[in-house]
Amino acid sequence: MSSAPPSATPLVLVVEDEPGIASILCAYLERDGLRARTAADGREALRLVQQLRPDLVLLDIHLPEVDGIDVLRAIRDGGQTPVIMVTALADDVDKLLALRLGADDYVVKPFNPPEVVARVRAVLRRTQARLAPSSAPIRVGAIEIDAQAHSACCFDAAGQAQPLALTLTEFRLLSCLAAQPRRCFSRGYLIEQCLPESDALERVIDSHMSKLRRKLQLAGQDGLIETVRGIGYRLWPAS
Ligand code: CA
C-alpha cells in the first residue's frame, strides 16, 4: 500500500512505452487533479514503484525490457499497490485472469482517456475507503483483519500471527465475507462490493476466491470459505 498520507494528492504511475499515449494519459489524470509520473519500460517501472510508492499503477502489458505481466507479478510480490492493466487485446485479459495475478481492473486499447481516469478514480476510491479509519481489527475464528493497516493474518495453533499476503481484491473479498460470517454472498453482490465499475464477470469472483482459498489453506484454514452452490460464497468459521 502507498506510504503517502491519505490526504495527499494520489500519485499514478503510468507505465507505457508509447510516448504519445503516456502523455495523453498524464494530461487527463492531471486535469482530474491527480499527480502522474511515467515509466517507459518495465525495468524503470519497477524502480519507480519502489522509489515513488505510487497510489496506483496504470500498467501497459506489452513493454520493452520487462513485460507488464512480470511487472505486475513483482508488484504483487512486494505488496498491494493497486494496478490497472492496459492491454491491446481482449485476449490478454483472459490470460491475466488465468494467471491470477490480481490486477484490480483492466482497460483494453484503444481506450477513451476519460474512461481510464474514471476507472483510476474508482480503484482509488475503493483503496482509500479501505484505508479510512474505521474500526478495530475484525477477528473471525483464527483470522484477523485490520482494515486500517490493510493487513490480514492467521493465528496458528501456537497463537502466533502469520501474515496473509493478499492482493487488494482478495483483501476486500475476505473483509466483505468476514464482516458478516455465515451470511451467503452472491457473486453479483461481491462484484458490486469488491470490484465495482469493473465490468467483471461472475467467474472473476471464482478466480479471486480460489486464490484466496489457497492462501488460507496454506495458513491452515482449509474450508473456511464455503461455496454455496448456485449462489456464491460465505465464510464459515469453525468456532
Ligand atoms: Ca506497449
Side-chain angles (χ1 to χ4, degrees), residues 57-59 61 69 72 76 83-109 111 115-116 119-120 123 126 169 195-201 203-204 207-208:
V57 180
L58 203 49
L59 180 58
I61 197 169
I69 287 181
L72 174 60
R76 280 291 163 267
V83 177
I84 298 179
M85 297 301 290
V86 180
T87 78
L89 299 166
D91 286 356
D92 288 339
V93 175
D94 288 334
K95 186 175 168 192
L96 283 161
L97 290 174
L99 288 170
R100 296 176 172 169
L101 291 171
D104 294 275
D105 203 352
Y106 309 90
V107 173
V108 179
K109 285 179 182 175
F111 50 71
E115 193 207 325
V116 178
R119 299 280 191 99
V120 167
V123 171
R126 298 197 312 246
T169 302
L195 292 157
E197 300 172 47
S198 73
D199 301 329
L201 301 172
R203 68 188 164 93
V204 175
S207 152
H208 287 293

Side-chain angles (χ1 to χ4, degrees), residues 18-202:
E18 292 171 63
I21 295 180
S23 71
I24 288 172
L25 283 173
C26 287
Y28 274 89
L29 290 165
E30 284 167 356
R31 201 160 77 185
D32 201 65
L34 297 162
R35 289 181 298 144
R37 287 286 301 270
T38 58
D41 63 60
R43 206 177 300 280
E44 191 186 7
L46 289 174
R47 186 176 62 76
L48 290 178
V49 165
Q50 285 295 319
Q51 188 189 320
L52 304 173
R53 301 270 157 199
D55 296 278
L56 185 143
V57 180
L58 203 49
L59 180 58
D60 186 22
I61 197 169
H62 299 290
L63 290 168
E65 303 288 335
V66 181
D67 83 9
I69 287 181
D70 288 331
V71 174
L72 174 60
R73 195 175 271 132
I75 290 174
R76 280 291 163 267
D77 284 347
Q80 297 177 336
T81 306
V83 177
I84 298 179
M85 297 301 290
V86 180
T87 78
L89 299 166
D91 286 356
D92 288 339
V93 175
D94 288 334
K95 186 175 168 192
L96 283 161
L97 290 174
L99 288 170
R100 296 176 172 169
L101 291 171
D104 294 275
D105 203 352
Y106 309 90
V107 173
V108 179
K109 285 179 182 175
F111 50 71
N112 167 15
E115 193 207 325
V116 178
V117 175
R119 299 280 191 99
V120 167
R121 281 290 186 187
V123 171
L124 286 172
R125 265 199 306 279
R126 298 197 312 246
T127 314
Q128 285 167 353
R130 297 287 161 182
L131 288 173
S134 52
S135 49
I138 303 175
R139 178 83 186 253
V140 182
I143 302 284
E144 189 172 272
I145 300 164
D146 186 337
Q148 289 196 48
H150 208 84
S151 66
C153 67
C154 180
F155 290 90
D156 64 18
Q160 292 293 309
Q162 306 297 332
L164 287 167
L166 303 179
T167 65
L168 183 65
T169 302
E170 290 160 6
F171 183 83
R172 287 197 299 255
L173 287 169
L174 184 62
S175 301
C176 184
L177 296 179
Q180 290 172 276
R182 297 186 169 82
R183 173 181 161 184
C184 176
F185 293 92
S186 69
R187 290 178 179 81
Y189 181 88
L190 292 171
I191 288 172
E192 199 180 290
Q193 292 298 306
C194 304
L195 292 157
E197 300 172 47
S198 73
D199 301 329
L201 301 172
E202 296 205 339

